[in-house]
Amino acid sequence: MQSKKIENALNKQIELEGYASFTYLAMAGWCDNEGLEGCAQFLYRQADEEREHMMKIFHYINEVDGNAVTPGIKQPPTSYESVQQLFKLVYEHEKKVTKSINDIVALCYEEKDHATLNFLQWYVEEQREEEALMRSILDIMKLIGTGPQSLYYIDKEMERINKEEEKADAQN
Ligand code: FEO
């Protein structure tokens, strides 16, 4: 049985992961409409991943005899200035998720909740990977620049990155 403080923090994390899932879904839809197929596929997959992150916590809370709360649906933005701005927002959101995970880890030490601490190690590693991935995408976009055909090359790169991610997911 975990403390109410930890349970509340984990329920907040469910909300954050759920919001990430809906945000990436909205972004995927925007990319689809802009003809950015590679970006859209990448973001649809990310949206699914975030839902899995949310569900892992949901099941964990119930497993330790707590009450997992289904979050309300907050509508994410549906239009973006550019694909570069969109991916900057993804990176910012991932940093926010990392901070939140780190805060819960700190709380676990305070509450001497070793089971939750252990459970959260997967998220610590996942966030390190996600931030590195988003930073590498922003670097690629910077290298390609904003000249003519840049959207074409960005989309091709995102198609390639998405395939690599799918391959990595299949191996895990
Ligand atoms: Fe589950 Fe990308 O935060």
Side-chain angles (χ1 to χ4, degrees), residues 13 17 20 24 46 49-50 53-54 93-94 97 123 126-127 130:
Q13 192 64 29
E17 304 283 353
Y24 299 163
Q46 285 294 126
E49 260 193 23
E50 297 301 348
H53 298 175
M54 176 184 80
H93 193 78
E94 288 303 325
V97 172
Y123 285 85
E126 178 72 11
Q127 282 312 118
E130 297 237 301

Side-chain angles (χ1 to χ4, degrees), residues 82-146:
S82 64
V83 72
Q84 290 88 347
Q85 183 238 4
L86 183 153
F87 276 95
K88 273 184 200 148
L89 291 174
V90 172
Y91 182 46
E92 289 310 313
H93 193 78
E94 288 303 325
K95 286 200 285 187
K96 198 170 155 186
V97 172
T98 302
K99 186 188 176 309
S100 177
I101 292 288
N102 288 340
D103 288 348
I104 309 175
V105 166
L107 189 61
C108 287
Y109 279 111
E110 264 174 45
E111 300 282 308
K112 297 186 174 59
D113 186 341
H114 297 285
T116 305
L117 191 60
N118 198 31
F119 167 73
L120 288 175
Q121 292 316 301
W122 183 88
Y123 285 85
V124 171
E125 178 56 17
E126 178 72 11
Q127 282 312 118
R128 188 192 60 74
E129 285 174 14
E130 297 237 301
E131 280 197 29
L133 176 63
M134 296 313 160
R135 261 198 312 277
S136 74
I137 289 170
L138 290 177
D139 285 346
I140 288 170
M141 287 186 177
K142 213 186 284 174
L143 282 175
I144 293 176
T146 53

Side-chain angles (χ1 to χ4, degrees), residues 2-13 61 107:
Q2 63 194 168
S3 76
K4 207 65 196 159
K5 264 192 197 172
I6 300 271
E7 186 179 316
N8 290 342
L10 289 175
N11 272 317
K12 278 246 172 279
Q13 192 64 29
I61 295 175
L107 189 61

